[in-house]
């Protein structure tokens, strides 16, 4: 049972691996559907793959844009570069890009992206015969449909499914809103998230009279889907025959990555031990998963077609119960935690430390010093290197620090 976690940069890749991922998917500087993410340079990609492989984990590289003519020769060069670096698989949606990858690198393992609209077992068999080893289900499938796919494909063929994260309002992610409004093509990695904007309608004979689509004085965010969360339904996902549980979020923070990786890792492992263990810890999973950034939760299409409750009509903002403070780089001889600060916090704050083993420890900030050992009452500027003393010396390298106080944002 594979837990597949997103990483938008090298820091997040390491966090994902350390906090429970079996595999990580990343984007290079080209051909990825998250052009606005920092993504990986060739050097970072090499370092990330070495980090993962040294710990027995895998790295998959996305090349899932819908290519145009001008992309084809560049794709050939890109796959030659990737062959030297050695990721474990490529994630591809375009048949032309697929063909080039197979020509350049015949032995490469290829996973077919959800962008390819994979909604039935005949499609799975089509890709299997062409040499794909895994296909990602379309977001629009129910668990019953996934079960039927499993029953009709070779046992060794793998099914990958998104189980957590943001949902696209368009069929299998093939959205045109961004292209229409801004000229930024979502199918080429430049999505501006136009579905999260606020919309009204105008009747042709009443120009300038904007009417809310939904009866609400604030207008409506009618295309704005809730986030997917299947943490409560791990048993159903396993019984459906899914091989890889995929989390969305290559543009998210290290706190998000650590939280979802650690929580889903524990839920999967608990269920594989016994169903009773899973049930006993269910409230913990739900509590923990709510500590990372999200837009309310839905089960998507897994139990049937979504209804009006799946959308968020009155807001496009995230729920931020916890704020990411930083990841501990080291602990010095004086017991101070040294890290690059991500968000503001104060002397006297109660900080929660996330341990890789699932433990959370509450600590109080006793002192904050900058890299010149100057005392500070708060750390207002992000990316400062700080040395922080807590009331207990339990912090270790790699711990994630977070604070409960969303009003500060």
């Amino acid at each position: 049972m594979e837990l597949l976690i997103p990483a938008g940069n090298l820091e997040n890749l390491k966090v994902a691996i350390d906090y429970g991922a079996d595999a990580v998917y990343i984007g290079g500087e080209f051909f990825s559907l998250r052009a606005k993410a920092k993504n990986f340079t060739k050097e970072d990609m090499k370092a990330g793959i070495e980090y993962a492989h040294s710990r027995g984990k895998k790295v998959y590289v996305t090349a899932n844009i819908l290519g145009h003519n001008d992309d084809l020769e560049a794709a050939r060069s890109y796959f030659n570069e990737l062959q030297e670096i050695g990721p474990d698989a490529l994630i591809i949606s375009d048949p032309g890009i697929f063909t080039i990858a197979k020509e350049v690198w015949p032995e490469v393992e290829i996973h077919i992206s959800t962008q390819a609209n994979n909604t039935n077992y005949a499609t799975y068999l089509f890709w299997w015969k062409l040499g794909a080893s895994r296909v990602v289900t379309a977001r629009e499938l129910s668990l019953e449909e996934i079960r039927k796919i499993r029953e009709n494909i070779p046992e060794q063929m793998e099914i990958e499914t998104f189980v957590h994260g943001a949902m696209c309002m368009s069929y299998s992610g093939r959205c045109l809103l961004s292209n229409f409004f801004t000229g930024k093509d979502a199918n080429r990695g430049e999505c501006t998230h136009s579905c999260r904007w606020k919309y009204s309608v105008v009747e042709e004979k009443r120009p300038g009279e904007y009417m809310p689509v939904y009866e609400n004085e604030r207008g409506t965010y009618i295309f704005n889907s809730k986030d997917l969360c299947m943490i409560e339904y791990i048993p159903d996902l396993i019984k459906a025959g899914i091989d890889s549980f995929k989390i969305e979020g290559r543009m998210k923070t290290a706190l998000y990555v650590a939280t979802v990786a650690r929580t889903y890792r524990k839920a999967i492992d608990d269920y594989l031990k016994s169903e009773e263990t899973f049930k006993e810890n269910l409230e913990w999973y739900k509590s923990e998963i709510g500590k990372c950034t999200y837009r309310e939760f839905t089960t998507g299409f897994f139990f049937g077609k979504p209804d009006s409750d799946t959308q968020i009509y009155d807001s496009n903002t995230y729920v931020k119960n916890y704020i990411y403070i930083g990841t501990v780089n080291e602990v010095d001889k004086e017991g101070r935690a040294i890290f690059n600060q991500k968000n503001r916090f104060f002397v006297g704050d109660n900080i929660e430390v996330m341990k890789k083993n699932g433990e959370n420890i509450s600590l109080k900030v006793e002192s904050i010093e900058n890299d010149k050992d100057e005392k500070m009452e708060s750390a207002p500027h992000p990316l400062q290197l700080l040395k922080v003393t807590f009331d207990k010396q339990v912090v270790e390298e790699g711990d994630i620090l977070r604070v409960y106080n969303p009003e500060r944002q």
Side-chain angles (χ1 to χ4, degrees):
M1 198 62 55
E2 180 182 84
L3 177 59
L4 178 56
I5 301 293
N9 54 53
L10 184 57
E11 177 195 2
N12 283 14
L13 181 148
K14 292 178 178 180
V15 167
I17 296 296
D18 291 347
Y19 278 79
D22 296 304
V24 176
Y25 66 101
I26 66 175
E29 295 177 299
F30 309 99
F31 303 104
S32 167
L33 279 183
R34 285 292 178 266
K36 290 195 294 183
K38 290 182 179 178
N39 288 320
F40 284 70
T41 63
K42 184 178 179 180
E43 292 72 26
D44 281 351
M45 196 178 288
K46 185 176 180 181
I49 290 169
E50 288 174 355
Y51 188 88
H53 287 179
S54 68
R55 291 157 176 78
K57 311 298 182 180
K58 295 181 179 181
V59 177
Y60 309 141
V61 174
T62 59
N64 55 343
I65 68 165
L66 302 180
H68 288 235
N69 292 330
D70 293 343
D71 296 314
L72 300 184
E73 284 308 310
R76 194 175 297 275
S77 299
Y78 185 51
F79 293 140
N80 271 313
E81 286 187 10
L82 289 180
Q83 190 173 6
E84 297 173 11
I85 300 172
D88 298 279
L90 303 176
I91 304 172
I92 292 175
S93 59
D94 186 299
I97 302 290
F98 177 95
T99 302
I100 290 170
K102 278 295 187 183
E103 288 174 0
V104 171
W105 190 359
E107 66 275 17
V108 68
E109 185 173 321
I110 296 182
H111 302 167
I112 304 302
S113 169
T114 189
Q115 289 284 116
N117 305 92
N118 309 303
T119 57
N120 60 74
Y121 61 79
T123 297
Y124 271 68
L125 294 173
F126 168 83
W127 286 113
W128 175 254
K129 289 172 184 176
L130 288 177
S133 59
R134 177 187 295 188
V135 174
V136 186
T137 58
R139 304 278 188 111
E140 296 76 24
L141 294 186
S142 67
L143 280 174
E144 188 54 43
E145 289 174 296
I146 295 173
R147 284 191 199 98
K148 192 162 187 179
I149 290 173
R150 169 48 67 202
E151 291 168 1
N152 287 277
I153 63 174
E155 185 179 347
Q156 61 269 44
M157 188 180 192
E158 296 177 343
I159 297 174
E160 179 179 304
T161 299
F162 279 98
V163 301
H164 191 95
M167 294 281 283
C168 181
M169 56 75 62
S170 187
Y171 199 86
S172 288
R174 290 188 167 191
C175 186
L176 297 177
L177 282 182
S178 177
N179 200 332
F180 180 78
F181 286 120
T182 69
K184 303 285 188 180
D185 191 347
N187 298 310
R188 292 168 64 80
E190 298 179 321
C191 181
T192 56
H193 300 283
S194 307
C195 58
R196 311 298 181 191
W197 299 352
K198 183 178 180 179
Y199 289 90
S200 296
V201 293
V202 178
E203 199 275 327
E204 183 180 0
K205 295 180 180 179
R206 296 176 177 83
E209 294 184 27
Y210 295 94
M211 295 170 284
V213 180
Y214 179 76
E215 290 301 321
N216 183 301
E217 67 278 3
R218 298 173 62 186
T220 183
Y221 297 85
I222 194 168
F223 302 129
N224 189 26
S225 173
K226 293 180 180 178
D227 284 357
L228 179 66
C229 178
M230 290 294 287
I231 194 69
E232 299 178 56
Y233 304 100
I234 294 295
D236 302 275
L237 297 170
I238 292 175
K239 291 171 185 175
I242 297 167
D243 299 285
S244 179
F245 294 172
K246 189 172 192 174
I247 308 296
E248 181 277 337
R250 276 193 288 137
M251 295 178 68
K252 298 292 181 66
T253 66
L255 174 60
Y256 174 91
V257 169
T259 302
V260 294
R262 191 180 71 160
T263 309
Y264 274 88
R265 172 83 281 143
K266 181 169 174 53
I268 293 168
D269 291 349
D270 284 351
Y271 178 73
L272 294 177
K273 289 175 188 173
S274 74
E275 193 159 0
E276 283 307 309
T277 303
F278 176 83
K279 289 178 179 177
E280 287 170 6
N281 292 323
L282 187 56
E283 291 307 312
W284 185 88
Y285 313 142
K286 290 160 66 176
S287 171
E288 282 300 302
I289 214 68
K291 291 181 179 180
C292 63
T293 303
Y294 67 97
R295 292 185 193 88
E296 303 182 40
F297 285 135
T298 175
T299 55
F301 292 80
F302 282 113
F303 301 107
K305 291 184 178 180
D307 56 22
S308 59
D309 290 337
T310 309
Q311 301 299 110
I312 305 172
Y313 295 105
D314 61 354
S315 171
N316 69 342
T317 58
Y318 283 107
V319 177
K320 292 183 178 180
N321 288 328
Y322 279 75
I323 295 170
Y324 178 37
I325 298 301
T327 302
V328 178
N329 299 329
E330 62 175 303
V331 178
D332 67 12
K333 295 177 182 178
E334 287 76 34
R336 297 176 298 183
I338 301 174
F339 59 91
N340 294 95
Q341 169 229 358
K342 301 296 183 180
N343 285 291
R344 191 177 190 183
F345 66 102
F346 299 79
V347 171
D349 275 352
N350 290 313
I351 299 288
E352 188 168 78
V353 182
M354 288 179 63
K355 295 286 186 178
K356 298 170 188 175
N357 64 3
E359 186 180 8
N360 296 325
I361 301 176
S362 292
L363 301 177
K364 188 174 182 179
V365 178
E366 292 197 330
S367 70
I368 302 173
E369 296 167 76
N370 62 21
D371 56 355
K372 298 176 183 178
D373 291 330
E374 297 169 336
K375 295 280 187 181
M376 307 168 66
E377 286 303 310
S378 69
H381 305 298
L383 301 181
Q384 290 185 100
L385 185 69
L386 301 179
K387 302 173 183 179
V388 178
T389 302
F390 297 106
D391 60 341
K392 304 173 198 169
Q393 291 192 3
V394 295
V395 177
E396 302 170 291
E397 179 183 341
D399 285 348
I400 299 283
L401 308 176
R402 59 189 179 187
V403 60
Y404 180 77
N405 194 345
E407 288 76 17
R408 284 189 191 156
Q409 289 296 88

